[in-house]
Amino acid sequence: MASTTDPFPRPPLDTAALDAALVRPGGMWHRVEVLPEAGSTNTELAGRARRGAPHGSVLVTEHQTSGRGRLGRGFSTPPRAALTFSLLVRPGVPTARLGWLSALMGVAAVDAVRRVPGVKAALKWPNDVIIPAELRADPGPADGKLAGILSEIDFSSGTADVVVGIGINVSQDRAELPVDTAVSLRGEGFADLNRDALLAAVLGGFEELYTVWTAAGGDAEASGLAAVYQDMCATIGRRVRVHLPGERFLEGTATGVDSEARLLVEGPEGKRALSVGDVVHVRPGS
């Protein structure tokens, strides 16, 4: 346990305070449950969804040991060093629009880290929260990945059960981060490492966005989500090199996202819409 003189203490999350702040009559969140340890909050919550867990369930872990990212990539986080959680929603919107839920989480997360610790964060399509290279504590050639998002959909109940998970790096030092491109709030020089406030801000923002988006039938344009996302997304407007399955590559300019949250890339053969499942990596182009 961190001592009282540790400049980067890692206190546990306050479940009672989180429930008091987020769970209310008529609100979206059913319960905020904090587990001391879990393999993957997405896996655990997806299993609970199949057993009837209610819409609005939130599952947080203090220590994720077998986290899952896109393409089956695994990761773990030191105890109380990150903010790692998943939420369960049943939105009842057209299936083609469900891809916006990762984007919605990204917008909520970027807004929260901009407001709570004051980080100049942005989004990278499809599922990363980044600190752009030029805004890093030590500016360099590469963006720093602050958080990753993974959404998973299960139709086995007859409706879409969607689990959206995110892991935000909070107090890890360099040696505790999984890859060289990862960054943490601590590593970027931010002293406000209040995970309770950050979690409340992300969930509060998600609820606001989700309420408007579902009321619009999942229409990101009508709800305003598309405009906010495109304003926050650093990928849009950049030259990109897209790694496709089968060791194929597409180079061009990312010009926006469409109604299904697919990335639009203007390349040598015209404009192409790319879904998350179409892509291995999207990296800056030459």
Side-chain angles (χ1 to χ4, degrees), residues 42-43 45-47 49-50 68 87-103 150-165 213 260-261 276-277:
N42 262 33
T43 299
L45 190 53
R50 289 189 290 272
R68 294 184 294 108
L87 55 86
L88 170 64
V89 290
R90 296 187 176 96
V93 304
T95 301
R97 295 173 174 174
L98 292 174
W100 277 102
L101 281 166
S102 287
L150 180 65
S151 295
E152 298 177 287
I153 306 171
D154 184 354
F155 292 100
S156 62
S157 67
T159 60
D161 293 351
V162 188
V163 172
V164 187
W213 176 73
E260 298 177 19
V276 175

Side-chain angles (χ1 to χ4, degrees), residues 109-111 113-114 118-123 129-132 135 146 232 234:
V110 167
D111 182 66
V113 298
R114 285 179 178 180
V119 178
K120 295 178 180 179
L123 292 166
V129 176
I130 62 168
I131 301 179
L135 300 177
L146 183 66
M232 289 183 173

Side-chain angles (χ1 to χ4, degrees), residues 2-168:
S3 71
T4 55
T5 59
D6 187 342
F8 294 103
R10 293 175 174 174
L13 291 164
D14 187 334
T15 306
L18 288 168
D19 269 341
L22 294 163
V23 180
R24 65 187 188 281
M28 177 173 174
W29 305 119
H30 170 73
R31 180 188 178 196
V32 180
E33 181 178 357
V34 180
L35 299 179
E37 182 176 309
S40 160
T41 55
N42 262 33
T43 299
E44 175 64 27
L45 190 53
R48 294 184 183 195
R50 289 189 290 272
R51 298 189 296 272
H55 166 88
S57 297
V58 180
L59 188 65
V60 192
T61 187
E62 295 282 28
H63 179 32
Q64 184 154 262
T65 59
S66 302
R68 294 184 294 108
R70 285 188 65 238
L71 307 175
R73 300 185 187 98
F75 65 94
S76 63
T77 55
R80 303 180 307 282
L83 186 57
T84 309
F85 67 96
S86 300
L87 55 86
L88 170 64
V89 290
R90 296 187 176 96
V93 304
T95 301
R97 295 173 174 174
L98 292 174
W100 277 102
L101 281 166
S102 287
L104 196 154
M105 174 67 91
V107 170
V110 167
D111 182 66
V113 298
R114 285 179 178 180
R115 287 188 295 109
V116 176
V119 178
K120 295 178 180 179
L123 292 166
K124 175 188 173 186
W125 189 92
N127 65 340
D128 290 342
V129 176
I130 62 168
I131 301 179
E134 65 276 13
L135 300 177
R136 297 270 312 271
D138 294 313
D143 300 329
K145 179 176 176 177
L146 183 66
I149 299 163
L150 180 65
S151 295
E152 298 177 287
I153 306 171
D154 184 354
F155 292 100
S156 62
S157 67
T159 60
D161 293 351
V162 188
V163 172
V164 187
I166 185 170
I168 304 173

